[in-house]
Amino acid sequence: DAGVTQSPTHLIKTRGQQVTLRCSPKSGHDTVSWYQQALGQGPQFIFQYYEEEERQRGNFPDRFSGHQFPNYSSELNVNALLLGDSALYLCASSLAPQTHNEQFFGPGTRLTVL
Amino acid sequence: QQQVKQSPQSLIVQKGGIPIINCAYENTAFDYFPWYQQFPGKGPALLIAIRPDVSEKKEGRFTISFNKSAKQFSLHIMDSQPGDSATYFCAASRAGTALIFGKGTTLSVSS
């Protein structure tokens, strides 16, 4: 049973560029949440997708957007990259958001903005 | 506003010791309190979780103690091993909402 997978593993971009990160949820899960983890910090919630719609959003600017596909996989897009966007981006999957949140995390994508 | 406060920031114990990590929360609507373990270069892995209707939960060498009136919960690791050296995060949420994480505790278990 495959767990949560993310791609790519590492990514280097320059300021002002755009990036797309991808996530496939754990088998049987239909809800995907994205988190940003800065070095030495806990994960910070970006947004959650369920039934192909954004259901919740954390305190992140509109430069951060996402999408969920019919097979429940998801993308995170970040436009106009800033140096401060350098972080580990984590995807977590779970069952429908109405349930208690037992979330399973992927290995993350390490984004470096130069 | 930090809704989940975690302490200490770092912890060093000898093999066999019992490290204790503490968390305090503010939102009384939270009803789910998980602990995650993270190794360098990896995503957080769910260790154990508790709901506020019980005061203690044990899974293997890991125990959560929960004090609803004090709005605090803690993780105890019995008979700690060098392989337990990692960063530990507490979190909290209410049904249907995102996890709010503490800032993490880096644990080092010396042999």
Side-chain angles (χ1 to χ4, degrees):
Chain A
D1 180 23
V4 179
T5 59
Q6 292 186 243
S7 63
T9 305
H10 297 89
L11 205 51
I12 299 175
K13 293 285 188 179
T14 57
R15 281 178 296 174
Q17 284 189 312
Q18 178 266 343
V19 68
T20 297
L21 311 181
R22 295 175 176 82
C23 170
S24 291
K26 180 180 169 66
S27 177
H29 285 182
D30 56 10
T31 302
V32 172
S33 302
W34 286 93
Y35 292 80
Q36 180 195 66
Q37 186 177 23
L39 202 60
Q41 300 294 315
Q44 297 287 317
F45 175 71
I46 302 174
F47 44 53
Q48 182 185 76
Y49 276 85
Y50 172 66
E51 292 185 334
E52 302 180 49
E53 290 188 10
E54 183 182 295
R55 299 290 176 166
Q56 299 179 55
R57 189 178 183 92
N59 189 26
F60 279 81
D62 292 345
R63 298 187 298 109
F64 290 77
S65 63
H67 188 77
Q68 186 180 34
F69 300 94
N71 67 352
Y72 309 122
S73 66
S74 176
E75 289 182 348
L76 164 65
N77 301 292
V78 187
N79 294 321
L81 285 167
L82 304 174
L83 295 179
D85 294 332
S86 295
L88 181 68
Y89 287 85
L90 295 163
C91 168
S93 75
S94 58
L95 289 173
Q98 292 82 359
T99 61
H100 283 286
N101 294 317
E102 190 161 343
Q103 297 191 14
F104 294 84
F105 284 82
T109 293
R110 172 70 63 186
L111 173 65
T112 302
V113 182
L114 302 177
Chain B
Q1 181 185 11
Q2 186 182 353
Q3 296 193 53
V4 179
K5 294 183 179 180
Q6 183 173 345
S7 63
Q9 185 175 355
S10 62
L11 193 53
I12 300 173
V13 299
Q14 290 192 331
K15 179 181 175 182
I18 306 176
I20 300 173
I21 305 170
N22 301 298
C23 281
Y25 63 97
E26 300 170 1
N27 189 343
T28 55
F30 288 150
D31 61 0
Y32 176 69
F33 304 90
W35 285 90
Y36 283 84
Q37 178 190 58
Q38 186 175 30
F39 292 104
K42 304 293 184 182
L46 179 64
L47 262 182
I48 184 173
I50 197 168
R51 306 196 193 282
D53 52 344
V54 296
S55 60
E56 186 176 276
K57 182 176 181 179
K58 293 182 180 181
E59 285 187 5
R61 296 185 293 109
F62 301 95
T63 299
I64 297 180
S65 298
F66 185 83
N67 186 329
K68 187 175 181 178
S69 61
K71 293 188 289 184
Q72 295 176 347
F73 58 109
S74 60
L75 176 70
H76 303 230
I77 305 176
M78 306 302 177
D79 186 29
S80 59
Q81 302 296 313
D84 296 329
S85 298
T87 301
Y88 293 81
F89 293 95
C90 64
S93 72
R94 53 187 174 87
T97 67
L99 289 168
I100 307 298
F101 283 85
K103 291 189 173 183
T105 296
T106 301
L107 171 66
S108 179
V109 181
S110 61
S111 54

